[in-house]
Amino acid sequence: QKEVEQDPGPLSVPEGAIVSLNCTYSNSAFQYFMWYRQYSRKGPELLMYTYSSGNKEDGRFTAQVDKSSKYISLFIRDSQPSDSATYLCAMSDITGGFKTIFGAGTRLFVKA
Amino acid sequence: DSGVTQTPKHLITATGQRVTLRCSPRSGDLSVYWYQQSLDQGLQFLIQYYNGEERAKGNILERFSAQQFPDLHSELNLSSLELGDSALYFCASSLQDSYEQYFGPGTRLTVT
């Protein structure tokens, strides 16, 4: 079993839809939870991060972490065609450096 | 543009050969991370260096090695290359141990 599980999709939604992306994990030592966005043939870019449990909002994006269920989510409101990309969840255990484990990534297509 | 540079952009080589990938971090960043991204394994953490010292290690093969030089640039050496080593190799940097990592554009390695 992988430490981080993420449905690779693809997920196709119409413009303006609310998108929900999720990951589950098994390592309770993870403390930092991130979401990265990766456009085709580019390096990943950090979208949001959360430390421990809770919610965080940034514009159209909301990240949620539920450590009791080992489940994290990213919601995208009013999705736009420019949001079409691969979204990777990532988690870090900072005991001894910053080792980050990534999910497989979910490919999202937002249709105009 | 993240400010992280990687050379070369593309590399084609034969099985059994050795290659060196280079990464220059963002100005002022002390940490450098190396990742491998392949279709079947996703984005995998290989190794982290902080100010010249190895800081954290992931699933890096013994055939692979890295170092960070006094000017903070880093090199990833891959030897005895196999077909399965074909992948995108990303370097990322951060100020210190951090979730806030900035990824370079990657080096695409093809082993034939």
Side-chain angles (χ1 to χ4, degrees), chain A residues 47-48 56-62 77:
Chain A
L47 209 53
M48 297 188 71
K56 193 167 189 176
E57 190 172 318
D58 184 2
R60 296 185 295 112
F61 299 88
T62 299
R77 290 181 297 281

Side-chain angles (χ1 to χ4, degrees), chain A residues 35-67:
Chain A
W35 286 94
Y36 282 81
R37 177 173 62 194
Q38 185 175 22
Y39 291 111
S40 184
R41 301 182 184 279
K42 301 284 188 183
E45 57 176 329
L46 181 65
L47 209 53
M48 297 188 71
Y49 89 97
T50 308
Y51 176 71
S52 194
S53 278
N55 296 356
K56 193 167 189 176
E57 190 172 318
D58 184 2
R60 296 185 295 112
F61 299 88
T62 299
Q64 290 184 351
V65 174
D66 181 349
K67 289 191 79 176

Side-chain angles (χ1 to χ4, degrees), chain B residues 20-57:
Chain B
T20 297
L21 313 184
R22 183 188 168 104
C23 168
S24 292
R26 291 189 321 155
S27 177
D29 283 357
L30 299 177
S31 273
V32 169
Y33 311 78
W34 285 99
Y35 295 89
Q36 178 193 58
Q37 187 172 41
S38 61
L39 280 174
D40 56 343
Q41 295 290 330
L43 189 62
Q44 290 204 88
F45 169 73
L46 295 178
I47 197 163
Q48 177 198 0
Y49 276 82
Y50 176 77
N51 204 21
E53 300 289 325
E54 182 182 304
R55 184 88 172 108
K57 212 165 183 176

Side-chain angles (χ1 to χ4, degrees), chain B residues 22-95:
Chain B
R22 183 188 168 104
C23 168
S24 292
R26 291 189 321 155
S27 177
D29 283 357
L30 299 177
S31 273
V32 169
Y33 311 78
W34 285 99
Y35 295 89
Q36 178 193 58
Q37 187 172 41
S38 61
L39 280 174
D40 56 343
Q41 295 290 330
L43 189 62
Q44 290 204 88
F45 169 73
L46 295 178
I47 197 163
Q48 177 198 0
Y49 276 82
Y50 176 77
N51 204 21
E53 300 289 325
E54 182 182 304
R55 184 88 172 108
K57 212 165 183 176
N59 297 325
I60 187 167
L61 299 172
E62 284 191 15
R63 300 184 286 107
F64 296 2
S65 65
Q67 54 184 324
Q68 186 180 28
F69 295 86
D71 68 352
L72 300 177
H73 91 272
S74 179
E75 292 180 358
L76 179 67
N77 300 295
L78 315 175
S79 62
S80 302
L81 285 167
E82 301 175 0
L83 295 178
D85 297 328
S86 296
L88 262 172
Y89 290 84
F90 287 107
C91 162
S93 75
S94 66
L95 188 58

Side-chain angles (χ1 to χ4, degrees), chain A residues 2-109:
Chain A
K2 291 184 177 181
E3 277 189 281
V4 178
E5 298 278 359
Q6 182 177 11
D7 186 339
L11 180 61
S12 183
V13 301
E15 183 176 358
I18 295 175
V19 176
S20 173
L21 305 169
N22 312 291
C23 289
T24 59
Y25 64 95
S26 57
N27 187 349
S28 56
F30 289 140
Q31 297 175 52
Y32 283 88
F33 302 88
M34 291 79 72
W35 286 94
Y36 282 81
R37 177 173 62 194
Q38 185 175 22
Y39 291 111
S40 184
R41 301 182 184 279
K42 301 284 188 183
E45 57 176 329
L46 181 65
L47 209 53
M48 297 188 71
Y49 89 97
T50 308
Y51 176 71
S52 194
S53 278
N55 296 356
K56 193 167 189 176
E57 190 172 318
D58 184 2
R60 296 185 295 112
F61 299 88
T62 299
Q64 290 184 351
V65 174
D66 181 349
K67 289 191 79 176
S68 62
S69 301
K70 296 190 175 68
Y71 188 87
I72 73 169
S73 301
L74 177 71
F75 297 95
I76 306 174
R77 290 181 297 281
D78 188 25
S79 56
Q80 302 295 309
S82 58
D83 294 328
S84 298
T86 296
Y87 289 81
L88 301 116
C89 63
M91 306 171 193
S92 293
D93 162 12
I94 61 170
T95 55
F98 215 91
K99 179 181 171 183
T100 302
I101 308 299
F102 283 80
T106 300
R107 288 198 71 188
L108 172 67
F109 296 95

